[in-house]
Amino acid sequence: MNEIVNVIIFILIILGAFLNLVAAFGVIRLPDVYTRNHAASKATTLGISAILLATFLYYYLEVGHFNARILLAIVFLFLTSPVSGHLINRAAYYSGVPLWEKSVRDELKTEKKQQL
Amino acid sequence: MLETIVSIALLMIAIAMAMLIYRVIKGPTTPDRVIALDALGINLVAIVALTSILLKTSAFLDIILLIAILAFIGTVAFSKYLEKGVIIENERNR
């Protein structure tokens, strides 16, 4: 029982750290703001959820200490990280940051033109 | 065994933070820097959680929620500044 719990905690910690590393690679390598935000917000949210779930399981099953604040932190990050990604992407679009020159479609721009 | 795994994970997150700091310094536009700083805040939450496992103390667990809330408020304020030019509008009837 104890070994199974340990293996689950190890897998969750390594998975979370690996997803954070993947998000950083995406932020380095992708070509424009929107794709970078796509990498950063999604992969970082899943990675931090895995690491906090591992922390919660460690304190609950190894130490015997139920800590509801970590669960609250998981719920809070899961709600607010995509919202902040959306807000900064919208601010980037409306402050005139150009798309990557190889991107093929800008539906928001055509929608604005049809409304005018 | 647990210490080894947590140390490897801390090393991976440190490499990720170094790459995000590179993007903060070099990033061509301001939203790039804000995205990288938001991801840095979330990586800092991960470092606090892993350090509290490594030190076997539960005294740092409030800091997790605190850093998450502060990163969200900072990103929202900065995106509102970029979009409208002000953070708190004070015109009553527009």
Short mmCIF file of all heavy atoms in Angstrom, two decimals, chain A residues 50-111:
data_model
loop_
_atom_site.label_atom_id
_atom_site.label_comp_id
_atom_site.label_asym_id
_atom_site.label_seq_id
_atom_site.Cartn_x
_atom_site.Cartn_y
_atom_site.Cartn_z
N ALA A 50 -0.74 18.73 -11.37
CA ALA A 50 -0.14 17.44 -11.01
C ALA A 50 0.76 17.57 -9.80
O ALA A 50 0.72 16.74 -8.88
CB ALA A 50 0.63 16.88 -12.20
N ILE A 51 1.58 18.64 -9.76
CA ILE A 51 2.51 18.79 -8.63
C ILE A 51 1.75 19.05 -7.34
O ILE A 51 2.06 18.48 -6.29
CB ILE A 51 3.52 19.91 -8.93
CG1 ILE A 51 4.53 19.41 -9.94
CG2 ILE A 51 4.24 20.32 -7.68
CD1 ILE A 51 5.58 20.40 -10.26
N LEU A 52 0.70 19.89 -7.40
CA LEU A 52 -0.05 20.17 -6.17
C LEU A 52 -0.84 18.94 -5.72
O LEU A 52 -0.99 18.71 -4.52
CB LEU A 52 -0.99 21.36 -6.37
CG LEU A 52 -0.28 22.70 -6.46
CD1 LEU A 52 -1.27 23.80 -6.64
CD2 LEU A 52 0.52 22.95 -5.22
N LEU A 53 -1.33 18.13 -6.67
CA LEU A 53 -2.02 16.89 -6.29
C LEU A 53 -1.05 15.92 -5.62
O LEU A 53 -1.41 15.25 -4.64
CB LEU A 53 -2.64 16.26 -7.53
CG LEU A 53 -3.66 15.16 -7.29
CD1 LEU A 53 -4.81 15.71 -6.50
CD2 LEU A 53 -4.13 14.60 -8.59
N ALA A 54 0.20 15.88 -6.12
CA ALA A 54 1.21 15.02 -5.47
C ALA A 54 1.50 15.51 -4.06
O ALA A 54 1.65 14.71 -3.13
CB ALA A 54 2.49 15.01 -6.29
N THR A 55 1.58 16.84 -3.88
CA THR A 55 1.82 17.39 -2.54
C THR A 55 0.68 17.05 -1.59
O THR A 55 0.90 16.64 -0.44
CB THR A 55 1.97 18.91 -2.64
OG1 THR A 55 2.85 19.21 -3.70
CG2 THR A 55 2.54 19.46 -1.36
N PHE A 56 -0.55 17.18 -2.10
CA PHE A 56 -1.72 16.85 -1.26
C PHE A 56 -1.71 15.38 -0.87
O PHE A 56 -1.96 15.04 0.30
CB PHE A 56 -3.00 17.18 -2.03
CG PHE A 56 -4.23 16.74 -1.33
CD1 PHE A 56 -4.69 17.42 -0.23
CD2 PHE A 56 -4.94 15.63 -1.76
CE1 PHE A 56 -5.81 17.01 0.44
CE2 PHE A 56 -6.06 15.21 -1.11
CZ PHE A 56 -6.50 15.91 0.00
N LEU A 57 -1.40 14.49 -1.84
CA LEU A 57 -1.38 13.06 -1.53
C LEU A 57 -0.27 12.72 -0.54
O LEU A 57 -0.46 11.88 0.35
CB LEU A 57 -1.21 12.25 -2.81
CG LEU A 57 -2.43 12.15 -3.70
CD1 LEU A 57 -2.08 11.36 -4.94
CD2 LEU A 57 -3.55 11.48 -2.98
N TYR A 58 0.88 13.41 -0.68
CA TYR A 58 1.98 13.16 0.26
C TYR A 58 1.56 13.54 1.67
O TYR A 58 1.73 12.76 2.61
CB TYR A 58 3.20 13.96 -0.17
CG TYR A 58 4.34 13.88 0.80
CD1 TYR A 58 5.13 12.75 0.87
CD2 TYR A 58 4.61 14.92 1.67
CE1 TYR A 58 6.17 12.65 1.77
CE2 TYR A 58 5.64 14.84 2.57
CZ TYR A 58 6.41 13.70 2.61
OH TYR A 58 7.43 13.61 3.50
N TYR A 59 0.96 14.72 1.85
CA TYR A 59 0.60 15.13 3.20
C TYR A 59 -0.55 14.30 3.76
O TYR A 59 -0.61 14.08 4.95
CB TYR A 59 0.25 16.61 3.24
CG TYR A 59 1.48 17.45 3.33
CD1 TYR A 59 1.94 18.16 2.24
CD2 TYR A 59 2.21 17.49 4.50
CE1 TYR A 59 3.09 18.89 2.32
CE2 TYR A 59 3.36 18.21 4.58
CZ TYR A 59 3.79 18.91 3.49
OH TYR A 59 4.93 19.60 3.57
N TYR A 60 -1.47 13.87 2.87
CA TYR A 60 -2.63 13.14 3.38
C TYR A 60 -2.29 11.70 3.71
O TYR A 60 -2.72 11.17 4.74
CB TYR A 60 -3.76 13.20 2.35
CG TYR A 60 -5.05 12.61 2.81
CD1 TYR A 60 -5.51 12.85 4.10
CD2 TYR A 60 -5.82 11.84 1.97
CE1 TYR A 60 -6.70 12.32 4.54
CE2 TYR A 60 -7.02 11.31 2.39
CZ TYR A 60 -7.45 11.55 3.68
OH TYR A 60 -8.62 11.02 4.11
N LEU A 61 -1.50 11.03 2.86
CA LEU A 61 -1.29 9.59 3.02
C LEU A 61 0.00 9.23 3.75
O LEU A 61 0.09 8.17 4.33
CB LEU A 61 -1.31 8.92 1.65
CG LEU A 61 -2.64 9.06 0.92
CD1 LEU A 61 -2.52 8.53 -0.47
CD2 LEU A 61 -3.72 8.33 1.66
N GLU A 62 1.00 10.12 3.71
CA GLU A 62 2.25 9.80 4.40
C GLU A 62 2.30 10.45 5.77
O GLU A 62 2.74 9.84 6.74
CB GLU A 62 3.44 10.27 3.56
CG GLU A 62 3.48 9.71 2.17
CD GLU A 62 4.18 8.37 2.11
OE1 GLU A 62 5.11 8.17 2.91
OE2 GLU A 62 3.79 7.55 1.28
N VAL A 63 1.88 11.69 5.85
CA VAL A 63 1.97 12.41 7.12
C VAL A 63 0.66 12.27 7.90
O VAL A 63 0.66 12.32 9.13
CB VAL A 63 2.32 13.90 6.85
CG1 VAL A 63 2.55 14.65 8.13
CG2 VAL A 63 3.56 13.98 6.00
N GLY A 64 -0.46 12.08 7.17
CA GLY A 64 -1.75 11.98 7.86
C GLY A 64 -2.35 13.31 8.20
O GLY A 64 -2.98 13.48 9.24
N HIS A 65 -2.16 14.26 7.30
CA HIS A 65 -2.57 15.64 7.57
C HIS A 65 -3.37 16.13 6.37
O HIS A 65 -2.80 16.36 5.31
CB HIS A 65 -1.29 16.48 7.81
CG HIS A 65 -1.53 17.95 7.84
ND1 HIS A 65 -0.64 18.83 7.32
CD2 HIS A 65 -2.56 18.66 8.33
CE1 HIS A 65 -1.12 20.05 7.48
NE2 HIS A 65 -2.27 19.97 8.09
N PHE A 66 -4.70 16.22 6.53
CA PHE A 66 -5.57 16.64 5.42
C PHE A 66 -5.47 18.14 5.27
O PHE A 66 -5.84 18.87 6.18
CB PHE A 66 -7.01 16.22 5.71
CG PHE A 66 -7.94 16.51 4.57
CD1 PHE A 66 -8.10 15.61 3.55
CD2 PHE A 66 -8.64 17.70 4.54
CE1 PHE A 66 -8.95 15.88 2.51
CE2 PHE A 66 -9.50 17.96 3.49
CZ PHE A 66 -9.65 17.05 2.49
N ASN A 67 -4.96 18.59 4.13
CA ASN A 67 -4.74 20.02 3.96
C ASN A 67 -5.65 20.52 2.85
O ASN A 67 -5.41 20.26 1.68
CB ASN A 67 -3.27 20.26 3.62
CG ASN A 67 -2.89 21.68 3.89
OD1 ASN A 67 -3.63 22.58 3.56
ND2 ASN A 67 -1.76 21.87 4.52
N ALA A 68 -6.72 21.23 3.23
CA ALA A 68 -7.69 21.67 2.22
C ALA A 68 -7.20 22.85 1.42
O ALA A 68 -7.75 23.14 0.37
CB ALA A 68 -9.01 22.03 2.89
N ARG A 69 -6.14 23.53 1.88
CA ARG A 69 -5.68 24.72 1.16
C ARG A 69 -5.03 24.34 -0.17
O ARG A 69 -5.12 25.10 -1.13
CB ARG A 69 -4.68 25.48 2.03
CG ARG A 69 -5.38 26.24 3.13
CD ARG A 69 -4.40 26.76 4.11
NE ARG A 69 -3.79 25.64 4.84
CZ ARG A 69 -3.00 25.79 5.87
NH1 ARG A 69 -2.75 26.99 6.32
NH2 ARG A 69 -2.47 24.75 6.48
N ILE A 70 -4.42 23.15 -0.22
CA ILE A 70 -3.83 22.72 -1.50
C ILE A 70 -4.93 22.43 -2.50
O ILE A 70 -4.82 22.78 -3.68
CB ILE A 70 -2.92 21.50 -1.29
CG1 ILE A 70 -1.88 21.82 -0.24
CG2 ILE A 70 -2.24 21.13 -2.55
CD1 ILE A 70 -0.96 20.69 0.01
N LEU A 71 -6.02 21.80 -2.04
CA LEU A 71 -7.15 21.55 -2.95
C LEU A 71 -7.73 22.87 -3.44
O LEU A 71 -8.06 23.03 -4.63
CB LEU A 71 -8.22 20.74 -2.24
CG LEU A 71 -7.86 19.30 -1.94
CD1 LEU A 71 -9.01 18.61 -1.25
CD2 LEU A 71 -7.54 18.59 -3.22
N LEU A 72 -7.84 23.84 -2.53
CA LEU A 72 -8.33 25.17 -2.92
C LEU A 72 -7.40 25.82 -3.94
O LEU A 72 -7.86 26.46 -4.89
CB LEU A 72 -8.47 26.03 -1.68
CG LEU A 72 -9.19 27.35 -1.85
CD1 LEU A 72 -10.60 27.10 -2.28
CD2 LEU A 72 -9.16 28.14 -0.58
N ALA A 73 -6.08 25.63 -3.75
CA ALA A 73 -5.12 26.20 -4.70
C ALA A 73 -5.26 25.53 -6.07
O ALA A 73 -5.16 26.21 -7.09
CB ALA A 73 -3.70 26.04 -4.17
N ILE A 74 -5.50 24.20 -6.09
CA ILE A 74 -5.70 23.51 -7.38
C ILE A 74 -6.91 24.08 -8.10
O ILE A 74 -6.85 24.43 -9.29
CB ILE A 74 -5.86 21.99 -7.19
CG1 ILE A 74 -4.57 21.38 -6.67
CG2 ILE A 74 -6.24 21.32 -8.48
CD1 ILE A 74 -4.71 19.92 -6.34
N VAL A 75 -8.03 24.23 -7.37
CA VAL A 75 -9.25 24.75 -7.99
C VAL A 75 -9.04 26.18 -8.47
O VAL A 75 -9.42 26.54 -9.60
CB VAL A 75 -10.42 24.67 -6.99
CG1 VAL A 75 -11.64 25.37 -7.54
CG2 VAL A 75 -10.75 23.24 -6.70
N PHE A 76 -8.36 26.99 -7.65
CA PHE A 76 -8.15 28.40 -8.02
C PHE A 76 -7.28 28.51 -9.27
O PHE A 76 -7.61 29.26 -10.19
CB PHE A 76 -7.49 29.13 -6.85
CG PHE A 76 -7.33 30.58 -7.08
CD1 PHE A 76 -8.38 31.44 -6.89
CD2 PHE A 76 -6.13 31.09 -7.51
CE1 PHE A 76 -8.24 32.78 -7.12
CE2 PHE A 76 -5.98 32.43 -7.74
CZ PHE A 76 -7.04 33.27 -7.54
N LEU A 77 -6.17 27.74 -9.31
CA LEU A 77 -5.31 27.82 -10.50
C LEU A 77 -6.02 27.30 -11.73
O LEU A 77 -5.86 27.85 -12.82
CB LEU A 77 -4.03 27.03 -10.25
CG LEU A 77 -2.98 27.77 -9.46
CD1 LEU A 77 -1.87 26.85 -9.06
CD2 LEU A 77 -2.42 28.88 -10.32
N PHE A 78 -6.83 26.25 -11.56
CA PHE A 78 -7.54 25.69 -12.70
C PHE A 78 -8.57 26.69 -13.23
O PHE A 78 -8.84 26.74 -14.43
CB PHE A 78 -8.24 24.40 -12.28
CG PHE A 78 -8.66 23.54 -13.41
CD1 PHE A 78 -7.72 22.84 -14.14
CD2 PHE A 78 -9.98 23.41 -13.75
CE1 PHE A 78 -8.09 22.05 -15.18
CE2 PHE A 78 -10.36 22.62 -14.80
CZ PHE A 78 -9.41 21.94 -15.52
N LEU A 79 -9.15 27.53 -12.35
CA LEU A 79 -10.11 28.52 -12.82
C LEU A 79 -9.42 29.74 -13.41
O LEU A 79 -9.88 30.30 -14.41
CB LEU A 79 -11.02 28.97 -11.68
CG LEU A 79 -12.10 28.01 -11.26
CD1 LEU A 79 -12.87 28.59 -10.11
CD2 LEU A 79 -13.04 27.74 -12.40
N THR A 80 -8.34 30.23 -12.79
CA THR A 80 -7.85 31.55 -13.17
C THR A 80 -6.74 31.53 -14.21
O THR A 80 -6.53 32.54 -14.86
CB THR A 80 -7.31 32.30 -11.95
OG1 THR A 80 -6.26 31.54 -11.40
CG2 THR A 80 -8.38 32.51 -10.96
N SER A 81 -6.02 30.44 -14.38
CA SER A 81 -4.91 30.48 -15.33
C SER A 81 -5.38 30.62 -16.78
O SER A 81 -4.82 31.44 -17.53
CB SER A 81 -4.04 29.25 -15.13
OG SER A 81 -2.99 29.25 -16.02
N PRO A 82 -6.44 29.89 -17.22
CA PRO A 82 -6.93 30.15 -18.58
C PRO A 82 -7.54 31.53 -18.74
O PRO A 82 -7.43 32.14 -19.81
CB PRO A 82 -7.98 29.06 -18.79
CG PRO A 82 -7.66 28.02 -17.84
CD PRO A 82 -7.11 28.72 -16.66
N VAL A 83 -8.14 32.06 -17.67
CA VAL A 83 -8.73 33.40 -17.77
C VAL A 83 -7.64 34.45 -17.96
O VAL A 83 -7.77 35.35 -18.80
CB VAL A 83 -9.57 33.70 -16.50
CG1 VAL A 83 -10.04 35.12 -16.51
CG2 VAL A 83 -10.75 32.79 -16.45
N SER A 84 -6.53 34.33 -17.24
CA SER A 84 -5.46 35.30 -17.41
C SER A 84 -4.80 35.15 -18.78
O SER A 84 -4.41 36.14 -19.39
CB SER A 84 -4.44 35.20 -16.28
OG SER A 84 -3.79 33.97 -16.36
N GLY A 85 -4.73 33.90 -19.28
CA GLY A 85 -4.22 33.71 -20.63
C GLY A 85 -5.10 34.38 -21.67
O GLY A 85 -4.62 35.04 -22.59
N HIS A 86 -6.42 34.24 -21.52
CA HIS A 86 -7.35 34.89 -22.44
C HIS A 86 -7.21 36.40 -22.39
O HIS A 86 -7.18 37.08 -23.43
CB HIS A 86 -8.77 34.48 -22.08
CG HIS A 86 -9.81 35.30 -22.75
ND1 HIS A 86 -10.15 35.14 -24.05
CD2 HIS A 86 -10.57 36.32 -22.30
CE1 HIS A 86 -11.07 36.01 -24.38
NE2 HIS A 86 -11.34 36.75 -23.33
N LEU A 87 -7.10 36.96 -21.17
CA LEU A 87 -7.04 38.42 -21.04
C LEU A 87 -5.78 38.98 -21.68
O LEU A 87 -5.84 40.00 -22.39
CB LEU A 87 -7.09 38.81 -19.57
CG LEU A 87 -8.47 38.79 -18.94
CD1 LEU A 87 -8.36 39.06 -17.47
CD2 LEU A 87 -9.33 39.84 -19.58
N ILE A 88 -4.64 38.32 -21.47
CA ILE A 88 -3.41 38.89 -22.00
C ILE A 88 -3.35 38.71 -23.51
O ILE A 88 -2.84 39.57 -24.24
CB ILE A 88 -2.19 38.31 -21.28
CG1 ILE A 88 -0.95 39.10 -21.63
CG2 ILE A 88 -1.96 36.87 -21.57
CD1 ILE A 88 -1.00 40.50 -21.21
N ASN A 89 -3.99 37.64 -24.02
CA ASN A 89 -4.01 37.45 -25.46
C ASN A 89 -4.89 38.49 -26.13
O ASN A 89 -4.56 39.04 -27.18
CB ASN A 89 -4.55 36.06 -25.76
CG ASN A 89 -3.65 35.33 -26.70
OD1 ASN A 89 -2.73 35.91 -27.24
ND2 ASN A 89 -3.92 34.07 -26.90
N ARG A 90 -6.03 38.79 -25.49
CA ARG A 90 -6.95 39.81 -26.01
C ARG A 90 -6.30 41.18 -25.99
O ARG A 90 -6.39 41.95 -26.96
CB ARG A 90 -8.19 39.78 -25.13
CG ARG A 90 -9.28 40.71 -25.53
CD ARG A 90 -10.33 40.66 -24.43
NE ARG A 90 -11.02 41.93 -24.40
CZ ARG A 90 -12.10 42.17 -25.10
NH1 ARG A 90 -12.61 41.23 -25.86
NH2 ARG A 90 -12.67 43.34 -25.05
N ALA A 91 -5.57 41.48 -24.90
CA ALA A 91 -4.87 42.75 -24.82
C ALA A 91 -3.79 42.84 -25.89
O ALA A 91 -3.60 43.90 -26.50
CB ALA A 91 -4.25 42.92 -23.44
N ALA A 92 -3.11 41.71 -26.17
CA ALA A 92 -2.09 41.72 -27.22
C ALA A 92 -2.72 41.97 -28.58
O ALA A 92 -2.20 42.74 -29.39
CB ALA A 92 -1.33 40.39 -27.22
N TYR A 93 -3.89 41.34 -28.84
CA TYR A 93 -4.53 41.54 -30.16
C TYR A 93 -4.95 42.99 -30.33
O TYR A 93 -4.72 43.61 -31.37
CB TYR A 93 -5.71 40.61 -30.30
CG TYR A 93 -6.25 40.59 -31.71
CD1 TYR A 93 -5.71 39.74 -32.65
CD2 TYR A 93 -7.27 41.44 -32.09
CE1 TYR A 93 -6.17 39.73 -33.94
CE2 TYR A 93 -7.74 41.44 -33.38
CZ TYR A 93 -7.18 40.58 -34.30
OH TYR A 93 -7.63 40.58 -35.57
N TYR A 94 -5.60 43.55 -29.29
CA TYR A 94 -6.13 44.90 -29.47
C TYR A 94 -5.06 45.97 -29.35
O TYR A 94 -5.30 47.11 -29.73
CB TYR A 94 -7.26 45.17 -28.49
CG TYR A 94 -8.52 44.48 -28.92
CD1 TYR A 94 -9.07 43.46 -28.20
CD2 TYR A 94 -9.13 44.85 -30.11
CE1 TYR A 94 -10.20 42.80 -28.62
CE2 TYR A 94 -10.26 44.22 -30.55
CZ TYR A 94 -10.79 43.19 -29.80
OH TYR A 94 -11.90 42.55 -30.23
N SER A 95 -3.88 45.65 -28.81
CA SER A 95 -2.82 46.65 -28.83
C SER A 95 -1.93 46.48 -30.06
O SER A 95 -0.89 47.09 -30.15
CB SER A 95 -1.97 46.58 -27.56
OG SER A 95 -1.31 45.34 -27.49
N GLY A 96 -2.36 45.63 -31.01
CA GLY A 96 -1.74 45.64 -32.32
C GLY A 96 -0.51 44.79 -32.49
O GLY A 96 0.31 45.08 -33.35
N VAL A 97 -0.36 43.73 -31.69
CA VAL A 97 0.77 42.83 -31.91
C VAL A 97 0.45 41.97 -33.14
O VAL A 97 -0.62 41.39 -33.22
CB VAL A 97 0.98 41.93 -30.68
CG1 VAL A 97 2.09 40.94 -30.93
CG2 VAL A 97 1.32 42.78 -29.49
N PRO A 98 1.36 41.92 -34.13
CA PRO A 98 1.04 41.18 -35.36
C PRO A 98 1.10 39.68 -35.15
O PRO A 98 1.79 39.18 -34.26
CB PRO A 98 2.13 41.64 -36.32
CG PRO A 98 3.26 41.99 -35.44
CD PRO A 98 2.67 42.56 -34.20
N LEU A 99 0.35 38.97 -36.00
CA LEU A 99 0.41 37.51 -35.98
C LEU A 99 1.69 37.06 -36.68
O LEU A 99 2.40 37.86 -37.28
CB LEU A 99 -0.79 36.91 -36.70
CG LEU A 99 -2.08 36.67 -35.92
CD1 LEU A 99 -2.76 37.96 -35.58
CD2 LEU A 99 -3.01 35.80 -36.72
N TRP A 100 1.97 35.76 -36.56
CA TRP A 100 3.09 35.18 -37.29
C TRP A 100 2.82 35.34 -38.78
O TRP A 100 1.67 35.23 -39.23
CB TRP A 100 3.20 33.71 -36.91
CG TRP A 100 4.39 32.99 -37.42
CD1 TRP A 100 5.62 33.50 -37.66
CD2 TRP A 100 4.46 31.61 -37.73
NE1 TRP A 100 6.46 32.52 -38.09
CE2 TRP A 100 5.79 31.36 -38.15
CE3 TRP A 100 3.55 30.56 -37.69
CZ2 TRP A 100 6.20 30.09 -38.53
CZ3 TRP A 100 3.98 29.31 -38.06
CH2 TRP A 100 5.29 29.08 -38.48
N GLU A 101 3.90 35.59 -39.57
CA GLU A 101 3.62 35.91 -40.98
C GLU A 101 3.15 34.71 -41.78
O GLU A 101 2.62 34.87 -42.87
CB GLU A 101 4.87 36.52 -41.64
CG GLU A 101 6.04 35.60 -41.77
CD GLU A 101 7.02 35.75 -40.62
OE1 GLU A 101 6.61 36.29 -39.57
OE2 GLU A 101 8.15 35.34 -40.74
N LYS A 102 3.31 33.47 -41.24
CA LYS A 102 2.83 32.31 -41.97
C LYS A 102 1.45 31.87 -41.53
O LYS A 102 0.97 30.83 -41.98
CB LYS A 102 3.81 31.15 -41.79
CG LYS A 102 5.06 31.30 -42.60
CD LYS A 102 5.93 30.09 -42.44
CE LYS A 102 7.32 30.35 -42.98
NZ LYS A 102 8.24 29.32 -42.53
N SER A 103 0.81 32.61 -40.60
CA SER A 103 -0.53 32.19 -40.17
C SER A 103 -1.53 32.52 -41.26
O SER A 103 -1.41 33.52 -41.97
CB SER A 103 -0.90 32.87 -38.87
OG SER A 103 -0.72 34.24 -39.00
N VAL A 104 -2.52 31.63 -41.44
CA VAL A 104 -3.34 31.71 -42.65
C VAL A 104 -4.68 32.40 -42.43
O VAL A 104 -5.30 32.83 -43.38
CB VAL A 104 -3.58 30.30 -43.21
CG1 VAL A 104 -2.30 29.73 -43.73
CG2 VAL A 104 -4.18 29.40 -42.18
N ARG A 105 -5.15 32.52 -41.21
CA ARG A 105 -6.52 32.99 -41.06
C ARG A 105 -6.64 33.87 -39.83
O ARG A 105 -6.09 33.54 -38.78
CB ARG A 105 -7.45 31.79 -40.93
CG ARG A 105 -8.90 32.18 -40.87
CD ARG A 105 -9.75 31.00 -40.62
NE ARG A 105 -9.86 30.14 -41.80
CZ ARG A 105 -10.62 29.07 -41.83
NH1 ARG A 105 -11.33 28.74 -40.78
NH2 ARG A 105 -10.71 28.32 -42.92
N ASP A 106 -7.34 35.01 -39.95
CA ASP A 106 -7.56 35.90 -38.82
C ASP A 106 -9.05 36.21 -38.79
O ASP A 106 -9.52 37.15 -39.40
CB ASP A 106 -6.74 37.18 -39.01
CG ASP A 106 -6.77 38.03 -37.77
OD1 ASP A 106 -7.50 37.67 -36.83
OD2 ASP A 106 -6.09 39.05 -37.75
N GLU A 107 -9.82 35.37 -38.12
CA GLU A 107 -11.27 35.48 -38.19
C GLU A 107 -11.80 36.69 -37.45
O GLU A 107 -12.85 37.23 -37.80
CB GLU A 107 -11.91 34.21 -37.65
CG GLU A 107 -11.85 33.08 -38.66
CD GLU A 107 -12.53 31.84 -38.16
OE1 GLU A 107 -12.75 31.75 -36.95
OE2 GLU A 107 -12.83 30.99 -38.99
N LEU A 108 -11.09 37.13 -36.42
CA LEU A 108 -11.56 38.30 -35.67
C LEU A 108 -11.51 39.55 -36.55
O LEU A 108 -12.41 40.38 -36.52
CB LEU A 108 -10.70 38.46 -34.43
CG LEU A 108 -11.15 39.49 -33.42
CD1 LEU A 108 -12.58 39.28 -33.03
CD2 LEU A 108 -10.29 39.42 -32.20
N LYS A 109 -10.46 39.64 -37.40
CA LYS A 109 -10.34 40.80 -38.27
C LYS A 109 -11.45 40.83 -39.32
O LYS A 109 -12.07 41.89 -39.55
CB LYS A 109 -8.98 40.75 -38.96
CG LYS A 109 -8.50 42.05 -39.50
CD LYS A 109 -7.01 41.93 -39.72
CE LYS A 109 -6.60 42.43 -41.06
NZ LYS A 109 -5.21 42.09 -41.35
N THR A 110 -11.74 39.69 -39.95
CA THR A 110 -12.81 39.66 -40.95
C THR A 110 -14.16 39.94 -40.31
O THR A 110 -15.01 40.61 -40.89
CB THR A 110 -12.84 38.30 -41.65
OG1 THR A 110 -12.94 37.30 -40.64
CG2 THR A 110 -11.59 38.07 -42.43
N GLU A 111 -14.35 39.48 -39.08
CA GLU A 111 -15.60 39.75 -38.37
C GLU A 111 -15.77 41.25 -38.13
O GLU A 111 -16.84 41.82 -38.36
CB GLU A 111 -15.57 39.00 -37.04
CG GLU A 111 -16.87 38.92 -36.33
CD GLU A 111 -17.74 37.81 -36.87
OE1 GLU A 111 -17.25 36.97 -37.65
OE2 GLU A 111 -18.92 37.81 -36.53
#
